[in-house]
C-alpha cells in the first residue's frame, strides 16, 4: 500500500469545508431574515373625527425578508415591504390595532391615503378602498362603485391619479378614462356626472383665470372660465385632514400677524431696520440663523385714505423673550387654499417655533406666546429634523427625527410629537 493521507480523511476534510461553507451561508441568510430595519413612513399625516374624537392616520413600510426555494438548491433571501395603516388617538397618543395593507416586493403601486370624507378614509391599495375611520373596516371601494355604475365599466379607472377627495364638496371625485368627471353620491355608490352646463359659472371661478374684467364701479368681475369647471373642481380638489406640505421648516411659519388692535411680528434687528410701512399684509418667511424679538406696532390709513400702513414711529419690543430662528406657525384653509398665521384666543396668542442653539442636532421648541409678550407655556420637542406638521383644534402634531443622519442604518427612529394646545402637555410616539 502506498503511504499518504487516507481517502477517508480527505473526504472528511472536504466534507468539513463544505459543511462550514453551508453553515456560513445559512447564518448569512438567517441574519438577513432577522436583521432589524427602520420603519419608514410612506404617507403624510392625516386626521379625521370618528365618534366624537379625533384620530391620526398614517402608513408605514417595514422591510422584511423571506426564503425563496424556487430557483436554487440553497434558499435565496427575497426582500419585500410590509405596508401598514396606523391610528393614534388625539391628543392622548393611544395606539389602535394597526391594519396590514399588503406585502409588496417593489415600490410601484404602493398603498397611499387619498383623503377623508365624513366617516371614511379613502385609500389606494391596488384599488380604491373606503375604510371606516373608527374601526378601519373596509366599507366599499372599486368593486362596489363598478357594480353600482355598470355603464362606466369600460371607462372606470384603475390608477390612483384618477381619484381625488374634495373638501369643498365633501365627496370622492372620479375622472373616467374618457375624460368625464363624477362625484360619488352622498349615500350609496352611484357616481353623479359633474356637467359644466349644470354647474354653471360662479364667482368662485374667478380664481381659475389670471385676468379679471373691471366693472363700471372699478371692482373686478368674473370672466368666463377658460376650461371646464368640472375639470377645475377635480384638479384643484384637496382633502381636509392632511398635514401641511413643506420642504423646509420656514414653509410652516410666518413672521407677523395683524389683529384688530395691532400688528405683531418676530423680527431680527436687521429685519426691523429694513421694515417698511407697507409690510402690514405681507406675512413674511423667517429665514436665516438669527435671533428674533417680538414687536408690536399700530397701523393707520395712508395719506390718501385708501391703504393701511404701519406706524413705524411707534413700533416697540413686547416682552423679553429671544427666539432663535423663530417664526409663527401657520394653518391652512383647504377650501380657500390659503395659509394664515395661527392665532388662538383665551388668551390671545400665537405659536412660536424656535431652536435652542445652532448646534447640528439642536431640538426645536414650541412656545405659546401671548400677544402681551409673555410665554404661556414652552416645550422641547426633541426633534432636530421636522418633516411633518399637522395642526388640529386640540393638538399640534409634528413628525421627524431627533438626529439628522437620515438614510443610513444609524438613523434615529421616526418620532411623532403631539402637543396639547391648551397646556403644552406632550406625548411622543416612536416608530
Amino acid at each position: 500500500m502506498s503511504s499518504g493521507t487516507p481517502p477517508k480523511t480527505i473526504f472528511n476534510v472536504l466534507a468539513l469545508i463544505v459543511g462550514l461553507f453551508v453553515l456560513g451561508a445559512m447564518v448569512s441568510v438567517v441574519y438577513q431574515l432577522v436583521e432589524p430595519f427602520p420603519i419608514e413612513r410612506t404617507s403624510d399625516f392625516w386626521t379625521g373625527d370618528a365618534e366624537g374624537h379625533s384620530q391620526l392616520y398614517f402608513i408605514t413600510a417595514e422591510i422584511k425578508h423571506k426564503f425563496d426555494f424556487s430557483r436554487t438548491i440553497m434558499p435565496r433571501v427575497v426582500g419585500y415591504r410590509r405596508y401598514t395603516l396606523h391610528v393614534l388617538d388625539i391628543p392622548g397618543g393611544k395606539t389602535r390595532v394597526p391594519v396590514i395593507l399588503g406585502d409588496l416586493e417593489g415600490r410601484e403601486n404602493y398603498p397611499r391615503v387619498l383623503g377623508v370624507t365624513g366617516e371614511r378614509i379613502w385609500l389606494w391599495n391596488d384599488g380604491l378602498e373606503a375604510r371606516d375611520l373608527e374601526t378601519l373596516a373596509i366599507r366599499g371601494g372599486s368593486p362596489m362603485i363598478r357594480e353600482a355604475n355598470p355603464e362606466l365599466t369600460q371607462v372606470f379607472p384603475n390608477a390612483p391619479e384618477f381619484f381625488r377627495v374634495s373638501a369643498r364638496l365633501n365627496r370622492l371625485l372620479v375622472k373616467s378614462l374618457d375624460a368625464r368627471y363624477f362625484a360619488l353620491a352622498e349615500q350609496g355608490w352611484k357616481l353623479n356626472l359633474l356637467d359644466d352646463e349644470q354647474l354653471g359659472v360662479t364667482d368662485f371661478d374667478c380664481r381659475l383665470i389670471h385676468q379679471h374684467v373691471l366693472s363700471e364701479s372699478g371692482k373686478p368681475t368674473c370672466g368666463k372660465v377658460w376650461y371646464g369647471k368640472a375639470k377645475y373642481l377635480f384638479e384643484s380638489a384637496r382633502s381636509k385632514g392632511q398635514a401641511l406640505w413643506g420642504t423646509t421648516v420656514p414653509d410652516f411659519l410666518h413672521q407677523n400677524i395683524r389683529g384688530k388692535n395691532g400688528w405683531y411680528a418676530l423680527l431680527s434687528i436687521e429685519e426691523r431696520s429694513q421694515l417698511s410701512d407697507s409690510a402690514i399684509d405681507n406675512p413674511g418667511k423667517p429665514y436665516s440663523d438669527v435671533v428674533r424679538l417680538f414687536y408690536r406696532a399700530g397701523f393707520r390709513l395712508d395719506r390718501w385714505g385708501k391703504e393701511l400702513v404701519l406706524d413705524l414711529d411707534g413700533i416697540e419690543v413686547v416682552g423679553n423673550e429671544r427666539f432663535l430662528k423663530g417664526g409663527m406657525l401657520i394653518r391652512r384653509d383647504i377650501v380657500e387654499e390659503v395659509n394664515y398665521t395661527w392665532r388662538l384666543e383665551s388668551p390671545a396668542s400665537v405659536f412660536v417655533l424656535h431652536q435652542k442653539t445652532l448646534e447640528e442636532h439642536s431640538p426645536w421648541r414650541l412656545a405659546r406666546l401671548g400677544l402681551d409678550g409673555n410665554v404661556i407655556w414652552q416645550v422641547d420637542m426633541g426633534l432636530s429634523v421636522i418633516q411633518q406638521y399637522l395642526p388640529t383644534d386640540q393638538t399640534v402634531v409634528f413628525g421627524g427625527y431627533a438626529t439628522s443622519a437620515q438614510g443610513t442604518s444609524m438613523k434615529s427612529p421616526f418620532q411623532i410629537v403631539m402637543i396639547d394646545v391648551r397646556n403644552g402637555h406632550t406625548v411622543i410616539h416612536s416608530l
Side-chain angles (χ1 to χ4, degrees), residues 4-298:
T5 305
K8 186 175 181 180
T9 302
I10 296 175
F11 176 80
N12 290 338
V13 171
L14 292 175
L16 178 62
I17 294 174
V18 172
L20 290 174
F21 174 79
V22 172
L23 178 62
M26 292 298 295
V27 169
S28 176
V29 168
V30 172
Y31 177 75
Q32 291 182 65
L33 290 175
V34 300
E35 181 187 10
F37 288 86
I39 297 176
E40 176 187 4
R41 176 189 53 82
T42 61
S43 77
D44 287 341
F45 287 162
W46 292 81
T47 184
D49 296 324
E51 298 188 2
H53 62 276
S54 297
Q55 298 185 130
L56 181 73
Y57 304 84
F58 59 96
I59 297 175
T60 63
E62 183 179 5
I63 297 177
K64 290 182 171 293
H65 296 89
K66 60 184 178 182
F67 286 125
D68 180 9
F69 296 90
S70 62
R71 297 183 181 180
T72 60
I73 299 176
M74 287 294 297
R76 184 172 66 97
V77 175
V78 176
Y80 63 94
R81 286 176 170 81
R82 171 162 292 174
Y83 291 88
T84 305
L85 176 63
H86 299 264
V87 186
L88 301 180
D89 282 339
I90 295 177
K94 180 181 177 182
T95 60
R96 299 294 184 95
V97 177
V99 173
I100 297 176
L101 299 176
D103 297 335
L104 299 175
E105 293 186 15
R107 286 182 175 267
E108 297 181 358
N109 210 26
Y110 60 89
R112 66 200 71 179
V113 179
L114 298 177
V116 175
T117 61
E119 297 182 352
R120 297 171 180 171
I121 180 168
W122 292 92
L123 306 179
W124 180 262
N125 187 20
D126 197 26
L128 193 66
E129 282 185 1
R131 290 182 177 265
D132 188 279
L133 280 176
E134 178 66 20
T135 66
L136 299 185
I138 297 177
R139 298 304 185 196
S142 295
M144 298 183 73
I145 297 179
R146 287 176 182 271
E147 182 179 350
N149 301 272
E151 71 280 6
L152 299 177
T153 299
Q154 300 301 318
V155 294
F156 190 79
N158 191 36
E161 60 266 25
F162 290 89
F163 301 91
R164 298 283 178 86
V165 175
S166 170
R168 178 176 292 277
L169 302 179
N170 195 29
R171 296 283 188 278
L172 173 76
L173 304 184
V174 181
K175 178 181 179 180
S176 64
L177 297 181
D178 58 354
R180 287 182 293 167
Y181 299 90
F182 300 85
L184 188 66
E186 187 172 353
Q187 300 291 333
W189 300 98
K190 188 67 178 176
L191 291 177
N192 298 322
L193 178 67
L194 294 174
D195 182 79
D196 286 336
E197 293 298 326
Q198 294 179 0
L199 289 170
V201 176
T202 68
D203 290 341
F204 168 71
D205 298 306
C206 286
R207 294 190 294 123
L208 267 67
I209 56 179
H210 299 287
Q211 60 182 5
H212 304 291
V213 180
L214 291 180
S215 64
E216 293 181 358
S217 65
K219 295 182 179 180
T221 60
C222 187
K224 291 185 178 180
V225 181
W226 63 274
Y227 67 96
K229 184 179 178 183
K231 179 180 179 181
Y232 173 72
L233 287 174
F234 180 84
E235 293 188 352
S236 66
R238 300 290 184 273
S239 170
K240 64 180 180 180
Q242 187 176 14
L244 272 67
W245 183 88
T247 55
T248 63
V249 171
D251 291 330
F252 304 137
L253 304 174
H254 282 167
Q255 273 191 272
N256 61 68
I257 183 173
R258 175 161 65 94
K260 294 181 180 179
N261 302 315
W263 179 86
Y264 301 86
L266 286 169
L267 303 171
S268 67
I269 295 177
E270 181 180 6
E271 291 165 344
R272 163 65 184 91
S273 67
Q274 298 174 352
L275 188 66
S276 67
D277 61 1
S278 61
I280 185 169
D281 288 321
N282 178 15
K285 290 289 184 183
Y287 296 103
S288 302
D289 297 341
V290 296
V291 170
R292 294 186 173 88
L293 306 178
F294 193 50
Y295 285 87
R296 182 192 183 280

Side-chain angles (χ1 to χ4, degrees), residues 243-254 285-286 327-331 340 351 353 386-390 398-399:
L244 272 67
W245 183 88
T247 55
T248 63
V249 171
D251 291 330
F252 304 137
L253 304 174
H254 282 167
K285 290 289 184 183
M328 305 178 195
L329 286 181
I330 65 175
R331 290 200 71 168
Y340 57 93
F351 286 126
L353 190 66
I386 296 177
Q387 289 189 336
Q388 289 280 291
Y389 162 51
L390 176 63
F398 292 98

